[in-house]
Amino acid sequence: MSAPTLFARLREQLRPTPGEKGFRYAAGVRGVVIAVTVLLCGLFFPRWTEEVPPEWSPPPDQLGKRWQGPLVRAEYPFVVRKPEEVYQQELRRALDTVYPVFLWRPYQRAELERQLEATLDSLSAASFAGILEPRSREEDSGGLRRRWFVRAVLELLMELGQRYIIDVPKGTLGAEQVAVRRAPFLQRTVRVEEVLDSSEALSVLQALIGRRFAPPIQELAFAVAPHLLRPTLFYSAELTEALRAAARWNVPRTWGIVRAGEVIVAPGDVVTDTTIAKLRSYANARLLQRGKRWGIEACLLYTSPS
């Protein structure tokens, strides 16, 4: 048989014997102790609304008018909280300045050349028969015609690769500008009109091929080059969200601090949004201060020796 636990032994020690009856075991005493505990806990919460004079809450139509109430001076320092609608407006303006972040990855000539050679090898010989065939034995010895075609297509793609080609449809951006991150500490802002999505980039590529090549080489370029087209800007949700979080953090919820003894509003002052915010914050601070004072007194009363 296992030994009893510490909790079981303590419970047995505190359990009264069948014949033991005392004042502290009475049900009425236990009820009074519970009621007193609940009452004292309630003293920790402020509930004295009479501490806020009604003249401290001017109606909205008083905005811009002269203060007709008494002089209000801060008895203790408090924080002036912005109205929620003001904070939300400032937050929206801050988030509107955060643009989607794209990482810049330009074309690599060696990589493009490998892909182009592989694409040419995979094309059906019957589809473009004779286009790249040498016209003389001199060309046949070194493959000059094919090398010329590869070099021309590479130059065209490298030229297009200097453009900003995004990997998402332009209509999904929802912003007038995008942020291009070229390096960890090198970023610039670009207008949406300056970037291309995949469909626009394909149209630009086809226009370049039409100007650079003549038939029948043009048909071969139309068949090969689109397979090598890829974005140069890649959307980074992580960096975008990090900038948005930083923008939220930089929007304060307060208008500063009013120090003890500072005049909040005096007769004749123009009532502004800041004035109303100060009065409301001071009223809340008075309630909290009164509740804190009563809570401390209740705590001292509850813990004082009898």
Side-chain angles (χ1 to χ4, degrees):
M1 182 176 180
S2 60
T5 63
L6 177 63
F7 178 76
R9 294 198 303 268
L10 181 62
R11 184 177 56 185
E12 289 297 330
Q13 293 176 5
L14 296 179
R15 178 179 297 175
T17 60
E20 184 179 12
K21 294 185 180 295
F23 179 75
R24 65 173 181 169
Y25 296 104
V29 174
R30 294 182 178 180
V32 171
V33 171
I34 294 175
V36 172
T37 302
V38 173
L39 178 62
L40 292 178
C41 290
L43 295 178
F44 284 87
F45 299 92
R47 61 186 187 280
W48 289 270
T49 56
E50 69 271 13
E51 287 291 317
V52 183
E55 62 269 16
W56 285 15
S57 301
D61 59 357
Q62 294 298 314
L63 190 64
K65 297 182 180 179
R66 298 289 180 180
W67 176 254
Q68 302 298 324
L71 175 71
V72 181
R73 188 186 303 272
E75 299 178 11
Y76 30 75
F78 64 93
V79 176
V80 182
R81 295 186 60 85
K82 295 178 183 177
E84 185 61 25
E85 59 274 11
V86 174
Y87 171 75
Q88 292 298 332
Q89 291 175 2
E90 294 180 356
L91 184 61
R92 284 193 297 269
R93 286 196 295 268
L95 293 178
D96 287 342
T97 63
V98 178
Y99 304 119
V101 180
F102 287 82
L103 300 178
W104 167 251
R105 296 176 185 170
Y107 289 170
Q108 302 296 326
R109 187 181 183 89
E111 180 184 355
L112 278 180
E113 186 172 1
R114 287 194 300 269
Q115 294 176 355
L116 179 56
E117 292 285 0
T119 303
L120 287 174
D121 293 339
S122 64
L123 289 177
S124 173
S127 301
F128 302 97
I131 293 181
L132 296 181
E133 291 182 0
R135 292 172 295 185
S136 64
R137 292 183 179 179
E138 291 77 8
E139 289 188 3
D140 185 41
S141 61
L144 296 179
R145 192 169 179 82
R146 173 164 172 156
R147 284 175 11 193
W148 167 84
F149 176 78
V150 170
R151 184 171 62 253
V153 173
L154 284 177
E155 291 176 356
L156 183 146
L157 289 171
M158 292 301 295
E159 178 182 344
L160 182 62
Q162 298 302 314
R163 302 285 298 273
Y164 294 127
I165 306 174
I166 58 178
D167 62 338
V168 295
K170 188 184 293 187
T172 63
L173 293 178
E176 298 180 354
Q177 302 182 61
V178 297
V180 177
R181 181 73 63 90
R182 289 178 170 266
F185 301 101
L186 181 60
Q187 179 173 307
R188 61 168 299 190
T189 304
V190 180
R191 298 195 310 273
V192 172
E193 293 78 10
E194 299 180 42
V195 303
L196 304 172
D197 56 21
S198 58
S199 59
E200 293 174 333
L202 181 59
S203 299
V204 173
L205 178 61
Q206 291 173 345
L208 290 174
I209 292 175
R211 291 197 298 267
R212 298 286 180 87
F213 301 104
I217 297 292
Q218 188 179 91
E219 285 74 12
L220 180 58
F222 279 139
V224 172
H227 293 283
L228 307 177
L229 184 64
R230 68 166 181 80
T232 57
L233 292 181
F234 296 86
Y235 176 68
S236 175
E238 180 180 358
L239 291 176
T240 303
E241 184 54 36
L243 291 180
R244 292 178 65 85
R248 295 189 192 97
W249 180 263
N250 288 328
V251 178
R253 286 186 171 272
T254 64
W255 271 326
I257 298 176
V258 173
R259 303 186 181 278
E262 183 177 337
V263 174
I264 299 176
V265 64
D269 290 349
V270 177
V271 178
T272 63
D273 291 332
T274 306
T275 305
I276 296 178
K278 286 182 178 181
L279 290 173
R280 291 176 178 173
S281 298
Y282 187 44
N284 293 333
R286 286 173 64 91
L287 289 176
L288 294 175
Q289 192 75 12
R290 181 65 180 272
K292 183 191 303 183
R293 187 166 59 249
W294 276 87
I296 294 175
E297 293 174 359
C299 183
L300 294 175
L301 175 64
Y302 188 73
T303 57
S304 61
S306 56

